[in-house]
Amino acid sequence: MGRLDDKVAVVTGSSRGLGEGIARHLAAEGAAVVCADMLDASEVAGSLPAAPSGALATAVHLDVTDSARVDEVMRDVAAEYGSLDILCNNAGVAQPIADVIDTSEEVIDNVFNVNIRGVINCSRSAAHIMKENMWGRIINTASQTGKVAWPGWGIYSVSKFAVVGLTQVMALELAPYNVTVNAICPGTMFTNMTKTGFGMAAQMAGREREDLLAEHIATIPMKRLGTADDIGAMAAFLASDDAKFTTGASLNLTGGEQVFF
């Protein structure tokens, strides 16, 4: 018996990286998982185990900034699987390293549209279904930069601060319906985003990426980067009844890189 048997989950941004890790852990705990992404997530979905009910994981193309498409996907999932119990808002984009005053409007619009509006679109749509069912879990991927600003990542940081705030207000609004809303705040994770970010920083500093990354890892108390497995395990916990009295929280997943609430 898994902790998520008979539950149905939608995981955005799940074609690779952290989203893939979340999808794998939810499926391992018994959930039927829908992998939603702008990229092709069929390989990930095809590799996930069937739920105990026999329901297979599926992949669906989804642009989280398209509210009409989001509504369509959420309705279709609920109709096909008979429920929509868990939403993991993991889709997100980074930014080129730049001070806020030097960040283009195009970058600002893209980061805000995906990282803020996308989370709002998916959460609103899924929450309508969860309220009717009187049960639900919404889990947002925020960031440690949503608690402390990182110069050069200002717009991204602002977007993640917004995700933390949205998590708190929706937790209060949905608590009467037995729907919890929590966020995970990853630190420096082993992802393509991290590699790209440190690559840009290295180029600007005339350094080697691996050298900068090694120096940064040395400052992390647990002396390693976070992994997709780490975030998947935390998401599975938050989606389960083990976390039924946890809502409005933004949990650090940083190996000690950040330790404040």
Side-chain angles (χ1 to χ4, degrees):
M1 296 290 291
R3 291 184 293 179
L4 303 177
D5 287 357
D6 301 321
K7 301 302 183 186
V8 178
V10 173
V11 183
T12 69
S14 49
S15 66
R16 61 185 182 183
L18 301 185
E20 179 180 349
I22 293 170
R24 292 197 181 283
H25 270 267
L26 299 188
E29 290 284 357
V33 178
V34 176
C35 297
D37 205 310
M38 285 278 288
L39 304 176
D40 184 4
S42 58
E43 184 175 347
V44 172
S47 68
L48 299 180
S53 64
L56 298 176
T58 56
V60 62
H61 182 270
L62 179 63
D63 177 355
V64 296
T65 69
D66 184 343
S67 60
R69 174 60 177 159
V70 168
D71 287 343
E72 179 184 26
V73 166
M74 300 301 174
R75 286 194 304 265
D76 288 350
V77 169
E80 180 177 350
Y81 287 89
S83 183
L84 198 176
D85 307 295
I86 301 161
L87 168 66
C88 294
N89 284 308
N90 179 73
V93 295
Q95 65 162 95
I97 296 175
D99 289 349
V100 172
I101 62 173
D102 298 320
T103 304
S104 70
E105 290 190 12
E106 181 181 7
V107 168
I108 294 170
D109 288 344
N110 185 47
V111 172
F112 283 7
N113 283 340
V114 176
N115 294 2
I116 303 176
R117 191 59 185 264
V119 175
I120 293 172
N121 287 343
C122 293
S123 298
R124 281 160 45 106
S125 185
H128 282 296
I129 298 168
M130 293 174 180
K131 283 178 63 176
E132 291 183 5
N133 295 338
M134 290 296 293
W135 199 96
R137 301 285 187 264
I138 297 175
I139 302 165
N140 301 322
T141 300
S143 170
Q144 65 179 359
T145 68
K147 294 184 174 185
V148 59
W150 279 30
W153 288 77
I155 298 304
Y156 178 81
S157 180
V158 169
S159 75
K160 294 303 185 177
F161 267 91
V163 170
V164 170
L166 180 68
T167 298
Q168 294 174 1
V169 71
M170 290 196 72
L172 298 179
E173 292 175 349
L174 295 175
Y177 305 95
N178 199 29
V179 177
T180 66
V181 187
N182 293 289
I184 299 173
C185 296
T188 309
M189 310 295 280
F190 186 70
T191 63
N192 288 330
M193 185 181 293
T194 295
K195 293 177 184 177
T196 300
F198 273 86
M200 289 188 292
Q203 186 175 26
M204 293 171 66
R207 302 276 306 280
E208 293 295 325
R209 181 183 68 183
E210 296 307 317
D211 291 341
L212 281 185
L213 192 54
E215 290 173 7
H216 185 76
I217 291 172
T219 70
I220 299 173
M222 296 194 75
K223 305 302 180 187
R224 70 172 177 88
L225 300 179
T227 68
D229 187 64
D230 291 323
I231 195 171
M234 184 173 280
F237 162 72
L238 289 173
S240 75
D241 276 341
D242 290 338
K244 61 186 176 184
F245 200 57
T246 300
T247 195
S250 295
L251 303 178
N252 293 334
L253 188 67
T254 69
E257 194 171 356
Q258 304 296 339
V259 295
F260 56 85
F261 292 105

